Structure formats: C-alpha cells, structure tokens
C-alpha cells in the first residue's frame, strides 16, 4: 500500500542496523494532489460535497439532517487543523472513536484513555519524542470516568501543550502539531447533568479543571448523534480514505481562520481563547467543505455559528465550574446590515430553566416563568399562577372566549403578545409541539382551513392526525370544529393510500367533534392555517416540522410525545386577519 526508498549504510558496528527507511509514500497519494482536489470540488454543489464526505466516512447522508452532517464533519477537524482540541461526550454506540482509529493513517487512538508523559510527549531516559511529535491526531478513547486517574505532571504538561503548542521536560523545549480529541461516554442524560452538575461531570477529577477545560476549542454534543444502526451505512461512492486522509494532512498547512472577518465581526467581550477556538473550528470546517478557502458570506455563516456554539458550550460550563470565570457574549455582527446575532446551544433552547440555574431565562417576563418545570408547552400556555381564568385541568387548553376589553383568558393574552411576530425553530431543537405552536391561536375556533401541499405520504398523514388530536384539546367536548384541508394529490405511488388515509381520519374524528373535509389543488405551494378566531398562521414547513424517526415501533416514545422529537429549522409567523 506504499512505496518505500531504502538505504544501506554499513558502519561496521554490529549494534547498528544498516538498512534505513529513507522515504515512505502511500500508493494513492504519490504526490500532493490538492490542486486537482480543489478543482474538482467546484463541480459539486455544497450539499453534494457534504454528502460525498459523509459517504467517504461510511454513512448514508440521506438518513442525516444538515446539522447532523455538520457535526459529523466536526469530528474530522482534528485531521485537517493543527493543534486542535476537541471533546466529545455522549451515549455509547454513536461511533465516537471509530473515525480516529479507522479513518486516517495519521491518527492514533489511545484505548483506555490513560497514557504516560513519556509515551505522549518525550522520554527523558532516551530523549525520544512521544506521540504528539509524530501523529496529526491523538485521540483518547474512554476518556470519561471519574475513577480514572492521571498524574498531576501529565495534566500540567498537557495544559501547556494545548495552549502553547510546545512542551518541555528537563532543559529542552519541543514543538508539536498534533491535535487532541477526548471522547468518552456519559452516565446521565443532558437535563440530569444540567440540573445536578455540568456537562463535563464524567471527566476524571484531574481533568475537571477550569484551566484544562478552557483550552478546549469545541465541545461536540455526543447526545445528538444517533446510535449506529446497520441501515446507516452507505453503499454509495466516496473517496478512498487513504487519498482523503493525505489531502487533509496536506491541508493542515492552510489557514482559513480569518476568512470570515471581512463579513462578520465577533463580539469584543470574547476572550482570546474563545476567539482562538472559534477561528480554528471555522478554519477546519472551511478546509473540509470549501478547501480552496473561497465561500460567500451566506456559505460561511452556518460554519461560523457552529464554531461559536461549540466554544460556547465549553465556556458556559466553565462558568458553572468556576464562579470567577467571566461570562461573555457569544454574538457576531454582520457587516452587510449591522445586525448582531446571538448564538445559543441546543441545550440552552431545550432546557432553559436548567441551563441557567438560578437565573431568569432570557425573554421571560418574571422569575416564576424561568423557574417553571420543564414539560410540555402546555405549561407555558396555561398562564402563570394567580392569573384569572387559568384552567384547573393541566391537560385542557382554556377555550378562547370573546370578552370585553381587558377580560382575556391567559391564552388570549399570550396570543395577543405574538401579533405579527415570528417564532424560529432551530435545527434539532426539542420541546416543540403542535399544541405550543398552534393551540393559543386555534382555541375556540369553529372553522379552520389548513393549506399544505404535502399531506400525502404516511408520515404526513400521521402529522395531520396529531394536528386533529391537538384540536381536541382546544375545544369544548360539546362543540364541533370544522377543518378543511387543501393539499396536493399527485405523489406517485401514494395516491390511493392518501385517499384511504384521509377518509379514515374524517370518519374517526367526526365521532369526536372534529369534522374533516378536504380538496386537492396541485398548484398549491404556500402553507397556512387560518381560523375564525381571527388568526392566520404561516408555518414555513407546514405540519412537517419534525425530523425523521423510527415511527413503526410503538415502543418508541417519540411516537407518542412530540416534545421529545427534534425539529427541522423553520419559521412560524402569526398575524391577525380581519374577522369576516
């Protein structure tokens, strides 16, 4: 698999080996092929190129969301970026260590997570360099585990290397370019860790140190990766891994960390280490997706947001661990319009009350709302304690009533605040339900029109069924509500199944007071939900807001609880319409 150049030098000393390996080159890369690689990259769209990289590491890209693909690519950044420090903690079986052991001949995986100073850095007895002097990436498998021990000297020299790219033992100082990846399993889920400790809780005591953790450039959320299943593996084409590994090895010479500065400005409150972490992650993702370094602001922005989020996850946990750590603003400003954009982690969006323990959640109106328990959106909809007209039944949405002046139900007050505003759903966010998105605006409705061109396939019919179930919670048992669906009818292979499904839904729900009718309009494109309550809702993706999940298994809790599912990125707009 390689070409070698062997030299023979006989000195007469029987203790010396006369044969010397002078040069070694992999067969797939007998020369630096970056120029051709970059030229061919221009023949692909961004999504096609990302899919090609996903297939090169063995996965079927069709089964992953855009965010999931980007997080998989972050795992490759240590191979393309010098002195990059990555942590990934998450459940078992998500492929955390696989890429570091199988993807590149320039990577070394240390099993067990424990290593000596001599093996990793330099052996004082013979002066030989350790792993960081020879490998592009050194990964520590099974790094988590509170019972594991590490010498204080190892942690200290590691901190110096991670910060300064150099290490010293004795009188001589050595330089290294190896990136470090620390991967391990977590024992608890995210809300448990946020409530009781921090997201670094599984690390050994010696590494649960603010000075060490502050040198981490990116915290990869391992809990967002699905457990590896056989159907996830690809049968499509990808790069020969030796070829791709050599390309990435050669791209370590490039530096794209400042390419975004022409279009975006990071917050001035960020520390030097915060900015270094963001820039190195951004540079690595640029080399993977745009290897020539050329990208538009629109192409760069998702990579910058990802880089900021990974560093923010580190810094937010540091502020928990060390009360003296100063909080900063993880924001950036667009040069084009001057807008300041704040970046949040998914954990912050999914569990705001736990993420900011003891603090008022941003945009909440009072402390009581911030400290409310994490549950279905119904908790927030039903109003704060003490508000007149709040429902006593936690499972029933108060029905909107036409009352005088300020005599509004909590639901009507909540809905009034959202007039003309948008709600943005973040890719892979949890805790979103139809009840929370649509309930306040459809409560008490007698007539509802749903326009969605894509209610055709089985999972889309399931979405419609769940929407109708939500309406059952929004109406009085002794009242009926008429729902008229306008959708398309030209999906090959699903025409008959669509008709059967819609007729079955109409028959079932009519007995419960929800009367479904439908019509087909194949020219329909826009999506909307209009009710005689005076509200029009414009959901960017219609009812199809959830990521794919295994919905054929009734044991799967995602099938029954929408708030456990992850959503697709989209916007939902609410606006008042003239009552007819």
């Amino acid at each position: 698999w390689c070409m070698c150049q062997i030299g023979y030098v006989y000195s007469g000393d029987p203790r010396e080996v006369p044969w010397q390996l002078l040069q070694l080159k992999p067969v797939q890369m007998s020369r630096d092929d970056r120029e051709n690689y970059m030229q061919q990259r221009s023949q692909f769209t961004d999504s096609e190129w990302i899919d090609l990289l996903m297939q090169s590491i063995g996965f079927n890209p069709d089964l992953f969301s855009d965010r999931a693909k980007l997080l998989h690519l972050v795992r490759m950044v240590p191979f393309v970026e010098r002195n990059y420090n990555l942590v990934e903690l998450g459940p078992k079986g998500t492929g955390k260590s696989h890429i570091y052991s199988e993807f590149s001949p320039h990577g070394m995986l240390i099993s067990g997570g424990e290593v000596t100073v001599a093996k990793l850095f330099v052996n004082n007895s013979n002066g030989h360099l350790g792993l960081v002097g020879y490998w592009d990436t050194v990964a520590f498998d099974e790094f988590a585990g509170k019972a594991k021990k590490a010498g204080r000297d190892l942690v200290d020299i590691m901190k110096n290397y991670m910060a300064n790219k150099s290490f010293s033992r004795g009188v001589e100082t050595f330089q290294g370019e190896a990136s470090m990846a620390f991967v391990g399993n977590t024992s608890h889920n995210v809300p448990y860790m946020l409530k009781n400790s921090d997201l670094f809780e599984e690390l050994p005591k010696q590494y649960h140190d603010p000075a060490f953790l502050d040198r981490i450039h990116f915290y990869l959320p391992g809990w967002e990766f699905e457990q590896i299943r056989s159907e996830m593996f690809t049968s499509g084409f990808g790069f020969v891994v030796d070829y791709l590994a050599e390309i990435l090895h050669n791209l370590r010479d490039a530096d794209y960390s400042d390419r975004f500065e022409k279009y975006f400005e990071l917050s001035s409150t960020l520390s030097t280490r915060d900015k270094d972490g963001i820039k190195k992650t951004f540079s690595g993702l640029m080399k993977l997706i745009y290897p020539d370094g050329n990208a538009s602001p629109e192409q760069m922005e998702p990579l910058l947001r990802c880089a900021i989020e990974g560093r923010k996850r580190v810094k937010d946990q540091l502020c928990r661990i060390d009360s003296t750590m100063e909080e900063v603003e993880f924001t950036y400003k667009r040069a084009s319009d001057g807008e300041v954009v704040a970046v949040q982690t998914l954990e912050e969006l999914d569990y705001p009350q736990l993420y900011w323990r003891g603090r008022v959640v941003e945009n909440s109106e009072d402390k009581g709302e911030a400290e409310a328990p994490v549950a279905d959106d119904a908790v927030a909809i039903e109003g704060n304690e003490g508000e007149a007209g709040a429902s006593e039944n936690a499972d029933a949405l108060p029905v909107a009533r036409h009352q005088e002046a300020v005599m509004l139900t909590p639901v009507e007050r909540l809905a009034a605040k959202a007039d003309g505003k948008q709600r943005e759903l973040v890719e892979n966010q949890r805790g979103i339900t139809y009840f929370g998105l649509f309930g306040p605006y459809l409560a008490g409705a007698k007539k509802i029109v749903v326009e969605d061109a894509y209610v055709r396939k089985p999972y889309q019919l399931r979405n419609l069924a769940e929407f109708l179930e939500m309406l059952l919670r929004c109406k009085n048992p002794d009242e009926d509500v008429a729902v008229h669906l306008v959708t398309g009818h030209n999906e090959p292979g699903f025409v008959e199944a669509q008709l059967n499904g819609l007729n079955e839904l109409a028959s079932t729900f009519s007995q419960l007071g929800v009367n479904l009718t439908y019509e087909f309009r194949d020219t329909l494109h826009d999506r909307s939900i209009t009710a005689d309550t005076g509200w029009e809702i414009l959901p960017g993706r219609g009812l199809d807001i959830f990521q794919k999940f295994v919905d054929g298994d009734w044991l799967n809790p995602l099938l029954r609880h929408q708030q456990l599912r992850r959503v697709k990125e989209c916007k939902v707009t609410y606006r008042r319409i003239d009552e007819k």
Side-chain angles (χ1 to χ4, degrees):
W1 57 272
C2 65
M3 296 183 294
C4 302
Q5 183 177 347
I6 305 295
Y8 181 84
V9 180
Y10 180 66
S11 65
D13 188 344
R15 294 173 299 179
E16 292 186 1
V17 178
W19 296 102
Q20 298 180 0
L21 179 61
L22 302 179
Q23 192 176 47
L24 182 149
K25 292 183 179 181
V27 169
Q28 283 90 354
M29 283 291 290
S30 59
R31 58 185 175 82
D32 186 348
D33 197 42
R34 273 183 294 176
E35 183 177 348
N36 180 50
Y37 178 83
M38 294 178 184
Q39 181 180 357
Q40 298 306 319
R41 163 64 180 93
S42 63
Q43 306 300 315
F44 294 79
T45 64
D46 293 350
S47 59
E48 289 173 343
W49 184 256
I50 291 173
D51 288 353
L52 178 61
L53 292 177
M54 286 291 292
Q55 294 190 155
S56 299
I57 60 177
F59 291 115
N60 179 0
D62 294 337
L63 300 182
F64 296 87
S65 67
D66 291 343
R67 177 177 171 85
K69 293 175 187 177
L70 192 59
L71 293 180
H72 271 281
L73 295 188
V74 172
R75 285 177 170 175
M76 301 170 65
V77 171
F79 292 105
V80 76
E81 190 71 19
R82 289 190 178 120
N83 301 103
Y84 184 74
N85 307 318
L86 172 76
V87 164
E88 180 181 354
L89 302 176
K92 299 178 181 179
T94 55
K96 292 186 290 293
S97 59
H98 176 77
I99 193 170
Y100 302 111
S101 62
E102 304 295 337
F103 172 70
S104 172
H106 299 289
M108 163 63 72
L109 179 69
I110 302 174
S111 300
E114 297 182 11
V115 65
T116 63
V117 175
K119 182 178 180 181
L120 188 59
F121 293 103
V122 64
N123 190 326
N124 275 347
S125 62
N126 54 28
H128 289 172
L129 280 177
L131 299 175
V132 298
Y134 294 99
W135 299 93
D136 287 356
T137 300
V138 178
F140 298 80
D141 192 15
E142 300 175 7
F143 185 70
K146 295 180 180 179
K148 294 186 177 180
K149 299 182 183 291
R152 189 73 250 176
D153 57 339
L154 173 61
V155 179
D156 289 340
I157 194 172
M158 190 178 291
K159 286 192 291 188
N160 185 61
Y161 173 74
M162 293 168 65
N164 305 318
K165 310 173 188 177
S166 63
F167 53 94
S168 175
R169 295 197 73 201
V171 296
E172 190 173 357
T173 300
F174 300 89
Q175 297 290 323
E177 296 181 353
S179 296
M180 289 191 171
F182 306 94
V183 298
N185 298 326
T186 53
S187 301
H188 302 109
N189 58 23
V190 172
Y192 181 94
M193 290 189 286
L194 291 176
K195 180 179 180 180
N196 296 285
S197 55
D198 57 80
L199 297 179
F200 288 110
E201 72 163 12
E202 289 297 326
L203 295 188
K205 181 180 178 181
Q206 295 83 351
Y207 293 106
H208 200 269
D209 172 17
F212 172 81
L213 298 177
D214 198 22
R215 290 156 168 80
I216 300 297
H217 297 132
F218 196 101
Y219 188 141
L220 194 57
W223 47 86
E224 288 195 42
F225 292 86
E226 296 185 64
Q227 288 195 328
I228 303 301
R229 307 185 303 272
S230 58
E231 61 265 25
M232 290 182 174
F233 298 123
T234 184
S235 58
F237 289 94
F239 287 113
V240 174
V241 290
D242 286 2
Y243 173 85
L244 182 57
E246 289 300 319
I247 290 290
L248 300 187
H249 172 74
N250 293 328
L251 280 172
R252 289 167 73 89
D253 297 334
D255 181 12
Y256 298 154
S257 61
D258 60 349
R259 294 300 173 98
F260 69 86
E261 293 180 346
K262 181 179 179 181
Y263 310 104
F264 307 99
E265 179 184 350
L266 295 177
S267 169
S268 59
T269 66
L270 294 174
S271 69
T272 300
R273 283 182 178 162
D274 294 331
K275 292 180 179 179
D276 286 345
I278 293 169
K279 289 181 177 181
K280 290 180 77 68
T281 303
F282 175 81
S283 177
L285 291 174
M286 281 288 292
K287 294 177 193 177
L288 289 167
I289 303 175
Y290 307 104
D292 61 356
N294 296 319
S296 67
E298 292 74 22
Q299 292 170 320
M300 290 182 183
E301 189 165 6
L303 309 188
L304 181 61
R305 289 180 65 90
C306 178
I308 295 175
E309 180 189 335
R311 176 59 191 180
K312 184 180 191 296
R313 188 173 287 109
V314 174
K315 192 62 172 282
D316 287 347
Q317 302 313 302
L318 280 173
C319 292
R320 282 176 171 241
I321 298 169
D322 184 358
S323 59
T324 65
M325 186 70 66
E326 184 177 354
E327 294 185 7
V328 298
E329 297 177 357
F330 282 88
T331 61
Y332 62 91
K333 183 169 70 173
R334 297 191 186 106
S336 58
D337 55 13
E339 181 182 357
V340 176
V341 181
V343 177
Q344 294 178 294
T345 65
L346 273 186
E347 306 84 64
E348 186 177 359
L349 293 168
D350 290 348
Y351 314 104
Q353 299 88 351
L354 300 178
Y355 197 87
W356 300 114
R357 290 181 304 185
R359 292 178 49 181
V360 177
V361 181
E362 186 177 0
N363 296 329
S364 67
E365 293 193 356
D366 54 49
K367 187 176 180 180
E369 182 180 347
E371 295 179 350
V374 178
D376 192 296
D377 284 319
V379 174
I381 292 173
E382 288 164 5
N384 295 327
E385 184 178 357
E387 288 187 5
S391 172
E392 295 180 357
N393 183 354
D395 292 325
L397 181 70
V399 177
R401 298 185 297 273
H402 294 288
Q403 299 182 355
E404 296 180 1
V406 297
M407 298 300 294
L408 300 175
T409 66
V411 170
E412 291 170 328
R413 270 198 295 276
L414 177 64
K417 294 177 184 177
D419 191 8
K421 294 185 178 180
Q422 284 186 333
R423 182 169 180 182
E424 295 188 9
L425 307 188
V426 179
E427 184 84 355
N428 272 21
Q429 183 178 352
R430 273 181 176 156
I432 304 299
T433 65
Y434 287 166
F435 188 76
L437 286 177
F438 309 132
Y441 312 94
L442 304 181
K446 300 297 186 296
K447 294 181 180 180
I448 299 173
V449 177
V450 178
E451 294 189 352
D452 188 341
Y454 301 100
V455 184
R456 309 171 183 180
K457 297 181 179 180
Y459 78 91
Q460 295 166 339
L461 290 170
R462 184 205 67 223
N463 290 338
L464 176 61
E466 293 179 346
F467 178 81
L468 298 178
E469 290 172 9
M470 179 269 299
L471 293 179
L472 292 176
R473 302 175 64 186
C474 299
K475 75 178 192 68
N476 287 331
D478 57 349
E479 295 178 347
D480 285 358
V481 55
V483 180
H484 185 66
L485 172 70
V486 184
T487 188
H489 186 56
N490 58 359
E491 186 75 18
F494 292 95
V495 173
E496 184 176 355
Q498 180 190 24
L499 283 172
N500 292 337
L502 291 174
N503 290 333
E504 183 177 349
L505 287 174
S507 174
T508 301
F509 280 91
S510 65
Q511 303 173 39
L512 303 173
V514 178
N515 301 313
L516 174 67
T517 57
Y518 58 87
E519 66 173 288
F520 300 117
R521 191 186 305 161
D522 290 333
T523 58
L524 183 67
H525 182 269
D526 293 336
R527 301 165 172 89
S528 67
I529 301 173
T530 308
D532 59 0
T533 56
W535 285 101
E536 182 180 43
I537 307 171
L538 305 176
R541 290 183 178 270
L543 300 179
D544 188 14
I545 65 172
F546 298 110
Q547 299 281 4
K548 293 181 180 179
F549 66 96
V550 181
D551 59 356
D553 182 5
W554 67 272
L555 296 175
N556 189 345
L558 272 66
L559 190 63
R560 297 178 297 282
H561 299 285
Q562 289 184 334
Q563 65 267 29
L564 298 180
R565 303 174 193 168
R566 298 205 179 272
V567 302
K568 303 174 184 177
E569 181 179 0
C570 61
K571 295 180 180 179
V572 181
T573 303
Y574 308 90
R575 65 187 185 190
R576 282 284 190 183
I577 56 176
D578 295 332
E579 295 186 3
K580 297 181 180 180

